[in-house]
Amino acid sequence: MTQELELDCLDQLEATPAILRGLMCDLSVEDTEWKPAPDRFSVAEVLAHLSHSEGHCYRTRVDRFVSEELPEFEPDDAQMYLELYRNANAEDAFDHFEEQRETNVEYLRTLPRSAGERRARHQEAGEITLQQMLHEWTMHDLGHIRQIAELVRARKHLKAAGKLGDSYRLKP
C-alpha cells in the first residue's frame, strides 16, 4: 500500500522501538531500575507502561473502532496500573512491547485510509476518529521517548560530563 493511501503516523509508530533500543543500548539493569525520585518512573517502568498500553489500550481501541459503530472508551489511566509496572524487567517489557508494536503496525497497514474516519465516543474528549487516536498514540510514544531520554541523560551522562554538565537542567 502506498503511503498516501495509508493511515497517518504509521511510520512513526513503527520507528518507536528502534528509537527506544538506541536510547537503552548502554544501560545496565541497575540503570534501567534507577528512579530519580520515589514518585518518578524508572526506564523499566516506562517500558512496562508502554507494553501494557500497547495491548490493553491502543490495540483494544483499534479493534473496537473497526468492529463496532461508535464504541465508547473510558479514559486511559496509567495511575490505575502502577503496581503492574513496579519491579518490571526492562528487557522483558521492551521485548513484549516490540512484538506487539510490530503486529499492530502490520495490522494498521492493512486498513484503508478511510478507516481513519471511523468514530468512537471518548468519555473525556467526546467524539474522536481513529486517525485522531493514531496521532495521540504517536504523541504518547514521543512523550515516553523524551522521558526515557531524560532518564538516560541524568543517569548515564550528567555526572560523567563533569563541569560541562553543570549548565543542563534535567527533568527526568
Side-chain angles (χ1 to χ4, degrees), residues 91-147:
E91 197 60 39
D92 290 345
F94 179 80
D95 288 347
H96 189 240
F97 166 73
E98 187 175 40
E99 288 171 17
Q100 291 180 93
R101 178 57 61 91
E102 183 178 328
T103 299
N104 289 341
V105 170
E106 284 176 7
Y107 174 69
L108 288 165
R109 288 196 190 281
T110 70
L111 298 177
R113 186 165 179 82
S114 60
E117 296 307 312
R118 303 264 320 159
R119 299 190 173 283
R121 182 161 307 285
H122 188 279
Q123 288 179 353
E124 285 182 352
E127 196 167 292
I128 61 171
T129 65
L130 172 58
Q131 190 60 74
Q132 289 170 328
M133 190 195 75
L134 293 177
H135 282 281
E136 186 276 330
W137 193 350
T138 302
M139 290 192 327
H140 181 260
D141 277 9
L142 291 169
H144 288 303
I145 289 168
R146 183 180 68 189
Q147 181 181 18

Side-chain angles (χ1 to χ4, degrees), residues 54-111:
E54 190 73 13
H56 290 87
C57 176
Y58 291 111
R59 180 54 190 256
T60 299
R61 288 180 178 182
V62 167
D63 290 343
R64 292 188 64 205
F65 264 112
V66 171
S67 66
E68 298 175 31
E69 291 301 320
L70 205 64
E72 185 168 329
F73 300 146
E74 294 180 7
D76 185 38
D77 183 4
Q79 299 301 315
M80 287 176 45
Y81 303 105
L82 291 178
E83 285 308 309
L84 281 177
Y85 310 148
R86 302 280 182 243
N87 303 312
N89 176 282
E91 197 60 39
D92 290 345
F94 179 80
D95 288 347
H96 189 240
F97 166 73
E98 187 175 40
E99 288 171 17
Q100 291 180 93
R101 178 57 61 91
E102 183 178 328
T103 299
N104 289 341
V105 170
E106 284 176 7
Y107 174 69
L108 288 165
R109 288 196 190 281
T110 70
L111 298 177

Side-chain angles (χ1 to χ4, degrees), residues 20-33:
L20 292 171
R21 178 65 72 198
L23 289 171
M24 296 169 21
C25 67
D26 290 330
L27 299 182
S28 68
V29 171
E30 293 78 22
D31 294 332
T32 65
E33 294 173 352

